[in-house]
Amino acid sequence: FPTSTYIKLWADTQRELDIMLQREKEEFFEPQEDRQKVMKMLATAYIQYLDIFRKLEEAHDHLIHQQKRAAVRQVLDGVIGRILEIKKEMVALEKSECHHMDDILMELQRVPEDTDIPIPKYFIKENLGMLQDREKFLDEILLNAGLLEQEPVVAMTLEEGIKVVQVAERARQGRARAAFMKRIYLEEKRQSQKADQEMHKNPDDAATCIQKVWRGYHQRKRTEELREEEMVFLGMNSAEMINGTGSLPPDLEVMSSLQLGAGKANVLQGEAQKREEISFRHELRQTEGSHIKETLQDEISQCFIECRHITGRFPDYPPENTGGSKSIFIEKHPEQVAEELAAKREAEQREKENSGKEKMERPEKTKPPKVGKQMVDERWKMTPSNFLSILEEGSSQYKVFWENRDNKSDFLQDHDPELIKEGEREEVEDEIRVQVDEVMQEKLLRLKEAVDGEMGTGRSKAKEKGGKKNKKERHRKPRKGGDENIILRALSFSSPFLACRTIDSLYQELAEAGFLIKVKNVNLSDYMGYYDCLRNIPCQPGLQPMPSIPEVKQLVTLYGILPLGSQIVHENAPLVKSLLLAGPAGVGKKMLVHAICTETGANLFNVTASKLVGKYPGKEGLMMLFHMILKVGKELQPSVVWIGGTERLYAKGAPKGEEEMNAKRLAKILPPFLRALKPTDRLLLVGTTAKPFDANPGPFFKVYQKIILVPKPDYLTRCGKYFSTLWKHCILRSGGALTRLVNLNCLARVSDGFTQGHIVDVVHTVLSELRVLQMSRKPLRTAEFVTSLARHTPVYKEEEEAFKAWYIKSPLGKAWSAALAAKEGDKSKGKKGKGK
């Protein structure tokens, strides 16, 4: 689409955002008593903000104008933060991470897929060069350390070289002979056509013969197409099964075409960024530099004269660490400063007088009055937002700069020179101000010597004051505390051993030790799952809703990807420091960890207990390891610290082997490590566990702030008629071809209870290299997959119930149970009251 399409999309979305902000001011900031009404308001705002987020992300991705992209980016970060705030309110209200919003979706005329959360592409695009350099550096380190497998380069022998030359020469001779034979054939054909013209054959007979053959072929082809269309309509076949090809599904082919269009837009954005690198600073220095210099000197001189007129002496020149002459203009007018000083002196005198009177008159001790039970306001109130001001500022900037702007004159739509000059004019002014400060400081000293007769009095007084202050300072005794306080102080302050080392050396050491690993290129969209509308119907009343695969992707995006991708969002949004992914083995927990790193460009630190065997022994060694991770992670943000099999850290009973001892040491250092993280640090602790019920729940739930249960795939995910499903996707990606001999419905029924990892392993086992080569002669059959699937152990219902029972013991599960018990108690009281 042309650029004007996305400019119009931006304008329409901005109007929708203004309506949302106005509605929030009217509805959200008033206390509400009806919880269902509040939940409906929050869910409606959540879906509408997601729609705005999706449109703004599309506009930002396709716009080339750098200033417009910056304006959209500011609003986009504000919308992301507001979505996270509303999600926090919804979780606090319903005591659950899953919400049933089918009624609201029907009112808004939306489908369940509209609740999917898009991932902004600028998370990667804006740092693409840096991420590529970092990946090359990591590959070099791993190759030199022997941790990365490289394809061996085998030298070609003399016999093999001769064979390659022979094959190439014979192919050349074959092509030359084919061209020669083609010329002979065309010559013979030309002569035969001349002979036919001489014999005068009847053209009507030839036309009848051709029509007879063509009509028969056309009718047979049409009958076959009608039969196939009927089978597809009945749901008994699909297009891939009929064609028998190994091509990608239609949705993947559409995605590839969209990626080609997005690639063209990325090329234009890259060209626009290169053009924007041409700065206007040199031009501003030449045209406006002298004027800025004279203006600054006149303003500073005028300020000094006014200060002397009020105070009777010239002031001291502000030092460089306070901003130099810039601090003079930040402060108020000299007359206002003098008035404030006089008012402060009067206030101090009054305080001294009052304190003297209080010492003379000792007040009698009076008992506090008895207060009855205070009424607690149970009405819902919206917590103050950190992002509404950002959204309002972005909306006002759009109205001032972009709403009525004429875009016809800007044909390239890449940048606006005047806006660039406005931003760089301040930088040029700061550079000139440094030079002006040196000149004006010497001028002020001369004025003091000539007028006031002062000679460096300001510096000597400052030294005296500094000396007096140092004498009064006392050293505090260290506070008493346990091991956690010592670890926290060690993580907060840099040790002398690591202070002299560079980030690259620490990065290399962590990679060589195996703690910094390479991220697999996996996107969150590769984690397949579809909405099942029948699933939202509660089977039994009182059961806590468990997340489906699309809801798991939403939660991972909300708590992991969006905060790590944007610094502004991470600093102002509800802070999530740790995340736990719990589920049976093979459901894709590790894949989700790698997807978080892939979508945000984050470093991945693997601190699993098995990795610590023989490395960084003792308490001090583990503290140094986490200090290195913290230092590298803060410098090269964002970063993810992953602990696999995290239930071993909090296992019940005494540790037996070295690995369990390392796990116990690791468990002690995690709480102070999390406390050392600040909102400005884009670090996330992610734990994965397949047996969370083996851990001690007390300390386990204290470490992980958010818990996400990852389920096994349902029937709709394993098999669907009108979209790419798990079985179909895996078979096509592995080079297989779907025919009528492969019954996907049967495979979906048989694989009930098996995880995604089981299905992927079965497809890879069946579709070996030899089997793919035999595909044309020997098509795939359903029995091949069923035989391989029978070797795996499914996830039984008892294990699923164990996960649900464990989740109810979590803080959120306990809150949900308490809220449910309170509701049932209120209902029983109401029934008793009616009976009386």
Side-chain angles (χ1 to χ4, degrees), residues 111-122:
V111 293
E113 283 75 13
D114 289 334
T115 58
D116 288 338
I117 303 170
I119 299 172
K121 298 180 181 62
Y122 69 83

Side-chain angles (χ1 to χ4, degrees), residues 670-739:
L670 286 182
F673 173 75
L674 291 175
R675 284 199 294 272
L677 298 180
K678 300 177 182 178
T680 55
D681 304 330
R682 284 188 290 162
L683 270 79
L684 180 67
L685 175 66
V686 181
T688 56
T689 173
K691 298 178 180 179
F693 27 78
D694 292 345
N696 190 6
F700 195 42
F701 291 136
K702 287 181 181 179
V703 170
Y704 292 103
Q705 191 175 351
K706 294 291 182 180
I707 301 172
I708 301 175
L709 280 183
V710 186
K712 58 184 179 60
D714 53 5
Y715 175 78
L716 198 63
T717 301
R718 298 192 305 272
C719 177
K721 298 177 182 178
Y722 306 110
F723 43 80
S724 177
T725 55
L726 191 58
W727 277 105
K728 186 191 298 185
H729 182 83
C730 293
I731 292 172
L732 294 178
R733 279 292 175 91
S734 300
L738 292 172
T739 60

Side-chain angles (χ1 to χ4, degrees), residues 729-755:
H729 182 83
C730 293
I731 292 172
L732 294 178
R733 279 292 175 91
S734 300
L738 292 172
T739 60
R740 295 176 182 175
L741 299 177
V742 179
N743 191 343
L744 293 179
N745 295 329
C746 177
L747 287 177
R749 291 291 183 187
V750 171
S751 60
D752 186 17
F754 291 89
T755 63

Side-chain angles (χ1 to χ4, degrees), residues 741-783:
L741 299 177
V742 179
N743 191 343
L744 293 179
N745 295 329
C746 177
L747 287 177
R749 291 291 183 187
V750 171
S751 60
D752 186 17
F754 291 89
T755 63
Q756 296 95 321
H758 294 152
I759 295 174
V760 172
D761 184 53
V762 166
V763 172
H764 287 171
T765 303
V766 173
L767 292 175
S768 60
E769 294 183 6
L770 179 61
R771 187 67 185 86
V772 171
L773 294 175
Q774 296 173 350
M775 197 79 63
S776 57
R777 297 182 290 102
K778 185 180 177 184
L780 285 173
R781 294 179 178 273
T782 309

Side-chain angles (χ1 to χ4, degrees), residues 651-657 660-661 664:
K652 302 171 184 176
K656 298 179 181 178
E660 293 186 3
M661 289 289 292
K664 293 293 182 181

